[in-house]
């Protein structure tokens, strides 16, 4: 599966990133909080959320910061979980001088019956993710590769460049 990416301006052009062609800005159809940008694929199942959050100071590791943000995203009664500790579709970029975290969430449904027959068995523990999750990993990697802050004033304080 080959995904085509297109340059996309986020937060009024303060951040540029490449997102998959065919993903639409959710703010065109419903209200989205100012600290988030949400893009939804044409099928309505997969989404990309880029969120500006207050930097997590307490956790001592990146993994603990990710877990903090994950639990902040889901509601207390939600039974969602991170299925595996290998490649994750939730990532965090800490901007220490700005006291900010940029949290990127790639939501790709794991629907066994929709996996391509060539995928074989999907088994996260064995590193067999299937085409849907592997596509999510490709999207995550491209988002991180192309993420470019154009206006540091977005975070309230200018950065030393």
């Amino acid at each position: 599966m080959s995904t085509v990416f297109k340059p996309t301006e986020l937060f009024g052009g303060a951040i540029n990133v490449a997102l998959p062609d065919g993903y639409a800005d959710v703010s065109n159809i419903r209200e989205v909080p100012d600290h988030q940008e949400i893009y939804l694929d044409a099928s309505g199942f997969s989404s990309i959320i880029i969120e500006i959050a207050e930097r997590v100071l307490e956790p001592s590791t990146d993994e603990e910061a990710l877990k903090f943000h994950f639990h902040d995203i889901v509601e207390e009664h939600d039974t969602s979980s991170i299925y595996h500790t290998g490649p994750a579709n939730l990532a965090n970029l800490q901007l220490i001088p700005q006291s900010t975290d940029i949290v990127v969430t790639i939501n790709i449904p794991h629907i066994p019956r929709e996996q391509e027959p060539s995928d074989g068995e999907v088994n996260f523990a064995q590193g067999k993710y299937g085409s849907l999750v592997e596509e999510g990993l490709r999207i995550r990697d491209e988002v991180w590769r192309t993420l470019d802050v154009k206006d540091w004033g977005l975070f309230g304080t200018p950065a030393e460049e």
Side-chain angles (χ1 to χ4, degrees), residues 16 22 112 119 124 132 142 152:
N16 289 350
D119 282 347
F124 290 133
L132 294 174
E142 185 66 8
W152 289 94

Side-chain angles (χ1 to χ4, degrees), residues 17-109:
V17 68
L19 295 178
D21 195 28
Y23 276 62
D25 185 347
V26 170
S27 69
N28 291 329
I29 56 173
R30 73 168 176 86
E31 196 168 325
V32 172
D34 289 343
H35 70 285
Q36 292 181 341
E37 293 277 359
I38 303 173
Y39 284 78
L40 188 64
D41 77 338
S43 70
F45 291 113
S46 299
S47 64
I48 301 169
I49 303 170
I50 296 103
E51 179 173 9
I52 297 173
E54 186 174 342
R55 183 168 171 258
V56 176
L57 299 173
E58 191 59 35
S60 59
T61 67
D62 288 340
E63 185 174 345
E64 288 173 358
L66 278 173
K67 286 180 182 178
F68 176 88
H69 286 301
F70 177 78
H71 291 292
D72 192 42
I73 291 168
V74 298
E75 297 178 24
E76 280 187 38
H77 61 277
D78 194 329
T79 58
S80 299
S81 64
I82 297 174
Y83 287 105
H84 54 88
T85 57
N89 285 338
L90 176 67
N92 185 48
L93 173 64
Q94 294 186 325
L95 302 176
I96 295 169
Q98 291 75 28
S99 298
T100 300
D101 286 350
I102 297 178
V103 182
V104 176
T105 309
I106 313 293
N107 297 303
I108 305 289

Side-chain angles (χ1 to χ4, degrees), residues 1 3 84 87 89 106 108-109 115 119 121-122 124 127-141:
M1 183 183 313
T3 301
H84 54 88
N89 285 338
I106 313 293
I108 305 289
Q115 296 290 321
D119 282 347
E121 178 186 1
V122 173
F124 290 133
K128 299 176 182 177
Y129 304 115
S131 63
L132 294 174
V133 173
E134 287 173 4
E135 179 64 10
L137 296 173
R138 284 190 290 278
I139 292 170
R140 179 207 58 194
D141 292 347

